[in-house]
Amino acid sequence: MAMDTNGEWWRGESAADLADYLEELGAEGYRVGQVVKATCVDCGGRSFRLRVDGEEGTVERSCVDCGKDVLMLDSDEHWSDTEPEAVVCPCGADVFDVAVGFSLRPDDSVRWVSVGIRCVADGVLGCCADWKIDYEPSRHLLTRV
Protein backbone atom coordinates (compact mmCIF):
# COMPACT_ATOMS: atom_id res chain seq x y z
CA MET A 1 0.00 0.00 0.00
CA ALA A 2 1.43 3.30 -1.03
CA MET A 3 -0.34 6.59 -1.28
CA ASP A 4 1.23 9.14 -3.64
CA THR A 5 0.70 12.70 -2.39
CA ASN A 6 2.77 14.33 -5.14
CA GLY A 7 1.06 16.14 -7.98
CA GLU A 8 -2.35 17.74 -8.25
CA TRP A 9 -4.29 14.68 -6.98
CA TRP A 10 -3.46 12.16 -4.30
CA ARG A 11 -3.44 8.63 -5.68
CA GLY A 12 -3.68 5.17 -4.19
CA GLU A 13 -2.43 1.88 -5.57
CA SER A 14 -5.37 -0.08 -4.17
CA ALA A 15 -8.61 0.23 -2.24
CA ALA A 16 -6.62 -0.36 0.95
CA ASP A 17 -5.13 3.13 0.55
CA LEU A 18 -8.55 4.65 1.25
CA ALA A 19 -8.10 4.04 4.99
CA ASP A 20 -4.82 5.98 5.07
CA TYR A 21 -6.34 8.74 2.94
CA LEU A 22 -9.40 9.15 5.18
CA GLU A 23 -7.27 9.12 8.33
CA GLU A 24 -4.97 11.78 6.84
CA LEU A 25 -7.90 13.85 5.62
CA GLY A 26 -9.62 13.79 9.01
CA ALA A 27 -13.29 14.55 9.48
CA GLU A 28 -13.74 18.29 9.98
CA GLY A 29 -10.65 18.17 12.15
CA TYR A 30 -11.78 15.13 14.14
CA ARG A 31 -9.66 12.00 14.19
CA VAL A 32 -11.03 9.16 12.07
CA GLY A 33 -11.36 6.23 14.46
CA GLN A 34 -12.69 3.58 12.10
CA VAL A 35 -12.83 3.02 8.35
CA VAL A 36 -15.31 0.61 6.75
CA LYS A 37 -15.02 -0.47 3.10
CA ALA A 38 -18.15 -0.77 0.99
CA THR A 39 -19.03 -4.26 -0.21
CA CYS A 40 -22.18 -5.29 -2.09
CA VAL A 41 -24.25 -7.59 0.12
CA ASP A 42 -25.78 -9.33 -2.91
CA CYS A 43 -22.66 -10.27 -4.91
CA GLY A 44 -19.61 -9.21 -2.87
CA GLY A 45 -18.65 -6.58 -5.45
CA ARG A 46 -16.37 -3.73 -4.39
CA SER A 47 -16.62 -1.32 -7.34
CA PHE A 48 -19.42 1.24 -7.47
CA ARG A 49 -20.91 4.15 -9.30
CA LEU A 50 -22.11 6.93 -7.00
CA ARG A 51 -24.72 9.64 -6.87
CA VAL A 52 -24.25 12.30 -4.20
CA ASP A 53 -25.93 15.37 -2.79
CA GLY A 54 -23.19 16.95 -0.72
CA GLU A 55 -25.44 19.71 0.62
CA GLU A 56 -27.95 17.26 2.07
CA GLY A 57 -25.38 14.64 3.05
CA THR A 58 -26.66 11.72 0.98
CA VAL A 59 -24.89 9.07 -1.06
CA GLU A 60 -26.25 6.25 -3.21
CA ARG A 61 -23.92 3.54 -4.47
CA SER A 62 -24.67 1.20 -7.36
CA CYS A 63 -22.70 -2.05 -7.63
CA VAL A 64 -20.92 -2.33 -10.97
CA ASP A 65 -21.15 -6.15 -10.89
CA CYS A 66 -24.86 -6.69 -10.12
CA GLY A 67 -26.48 -3.25 -10.29
CA LYS A 68 -27.82 -3.24 -6.72
CA ASP A 69 -28.44 0.30 -5.45
CA VAL A 70 -27.86 1.13 -1.78
CA LEU A 71 -28.50 4.38 0.08
CA MET A 72 -25.48 4.63 2.34
CA LEU A 73 -25.42 5.53 6.04
CA ASP A 74 -28.54 7.58 6.89
CA SER A 75 -29.17 8.76 3.31
CA ASP A 76 -32.56 7.05 3.16
CA GLU A 77 -33.90 9.57 5.69
CA HIS A 78 -33.28 12.52 3.35
CA TRP A 79 -33.10 11.04 -0.16
CA SER A 80 -36.52 12.28 -1.32
CA ASP A 81 -35.41 15.88 -0.65
CA THR A 82 -32.17 15.64 -2.61
CA GLU A 83 -30.88 16.44 -6.07
CA PRO A 84 -28.10 13.88 -6.43
CA GLU A 85 -25.43 14.13 -9.09
CA ALA A 86 -23.21 11.41 -10.50
CA VAL A 87 -19.66 11.35 -9.16
CA VAL A 88 -17.03 11.48 -11.90
CA CYS A 89 -13.25 11.42 -11.54
CA PRO A 90 -11.20 14.21 -13.14
CA CYS A 91 -10.09 11.54 -15.66
CA GLY A 92 -13.73 11.05 -16.73
CA ALA A 93 -14.18 7.59 -15.20
CA ASP A 94 -17.13 6.87 -12.90
CA VAL A 95 -16.24 3.62 -11.10
CA PHE A 96 -14.81 3.77 -7.59
CA ASP A 97 -13.66 1.82 -4.57
CA VAL A 98 -15.62 3.27 -1.63
CA ALA A 99 -14.98 3.46 2.11
CA VAL A 100 -16.38 5.53 4.97
CA GLY A 101 -14.26 7.14 7.66
CA PHE A 102 -16.02 7.49 10.99
CA SER A 103 -15.09 10.03 13.63
CA LEU A 104 -16.28 8.69 16.96
CA ARG A 105 -17.14 10.43 20.21
CA PRO A 106 -15.60 9.20 23.49
CA ASP A 107 -18.70 7.02 24.04
CA ASP A 108 -18.15 5.43 20.57
CA SER A 109 -21.19 7.08 18.99
CA VAL A 110 -20.64 8.51 15.50
CA ARG A 111 -19.78 12.21 15.31
CA TRP A 112 -18.87 12.66 11.62
CA VAL A 113 -18.80 10.56 8.44
CA SER A 114 -16.58 11.03 5.38
CA VAL A 115 -17.20 9.04 2.21
CA GLY A 116 -13.87 8.33 0.56
CA ILE A 117 -13.45 7.19 -3.03
CA ARG A 118 -10.64 5.83 -5.19
CA CYS A 119 -11.02 5.87 -8.96
CA VAL A 120 -10.35 2.35 -10.26
CA ALA A 121 -9.10 3.77 -13.58
CA ASP A 122 -6.30 6.04 -12.32
CA GLY A 123 -6.18 5.71 -8.51
CA VAL A 124 -7.21 9.30 -7.73
CA LEU A 125 -8.40 9.58 -4.12
CA GLY A 126 -11.13 11.91 -2.94
CA CYS A 127 -13.94 12.55 -0.49
CA CYS A 128 -17.27 12.89 -2.29
CA ALA A 129 -19.34 13.77 0.79
CA ASP A 130 -19.09 14.25 4.53
CA TRP A 131 -21.49 15.34 7.22
CA LYS A 132 -22.05 15.65 10.94
CA ILE A 133 -24.15 13.12 12.82
CA ASP A 134 -26.08 14.96 15.50
CA TYR A 135 -28.37 12.27 16.85
CA GLU A 136 -28.10 9.09 18.88
CA PRO A 137 -28.02 6.23 18.78
CA SER A 138 -25.74 6.41 15.74
CA ARG A 139 -23.50 3.35 16.04
CA HIS A 140 -25.69 1.47 13.50
CA LEU A 141 -24.20 3.66 10.74
CA LEU A 142 -21.04 1.53 10.78
CA THR A 143 -23.12 -1.27 9.26
CA ARG A 144 -24.76 0.93 6.60
CA VAL A 145 -21.77 1.49 4.33
Side-chain angles (χ1 to χ4, degrees):
M1 294 181 287
M3 190 168 49
D4 179 3
T5 60
N6 297 314
E8 183 177 358
W9 306 102
W10 288 19
R11 296 178 190 273
E13 291 180 2
S14 71
D17 291 322
L18 275 171
D20 290 338
Y21 174 74
L22 287 165
E23 289 167 6
E24 183 71 27
L25 182 69
E28 280 301 301
Y30 300 113
R31 186 181 75 78
V32 171
Q34 190 165 350
V35 175
V36 178
K37 295 177 189 171
T39 303
C40 179
V41 296
D42 282 5
C43 75
R46 292 188 176 236
S47 296
F48 303 94
R49 289 187 175 86
L50 299 163
R51 292 192 315 146
V52 172
D53 184 328
E55 292 295 316
E56 294 295 326
T58 58
V59 179
E60 177 187 58
R61 64 176 169 81
S62 179
C63 179
V64 171
D65 293 335
C66 73
K68 179 169 180 80
D69 296 329
V70 171
L71 293 172
M72 297 176 65
L73 306 160
D74 58 1
S75 296
D76 57 337
E77 297 173 20
H78 312 286
W79 191 254
S80 63
D81 300 326
T82 66
E83 296 181 24
E85 295 183 12
V87 176
V88 179
C89 178
C91 77
D94 67 349
V95 177
F96 301 92
D97 299 313
V98 179
V100 176
F102 293 90
S103 171
L104 305 174
R105 293 182 180 92
D107 66 358
D108 274 347
S109 63
V110 177
R111 172 192 331 235
W112 198 274
V113 294
S114 299
V115 181
I117 56 176
R118 179 192 163 273
C119 177
V120 299
D122 66 0
V124 165
L125 298 164
C127 180
C128 65
D130 64 337
W131 62 92
K132 182 179 182 180
I133 304 300
D134 57 2
Y135 58 85
E136 292 193 34
S138 58
R139 197 78 187 143
H140 69 285
L141 295 175
L142 282 99
T143 66
R144 306 234 19 225
V145 170

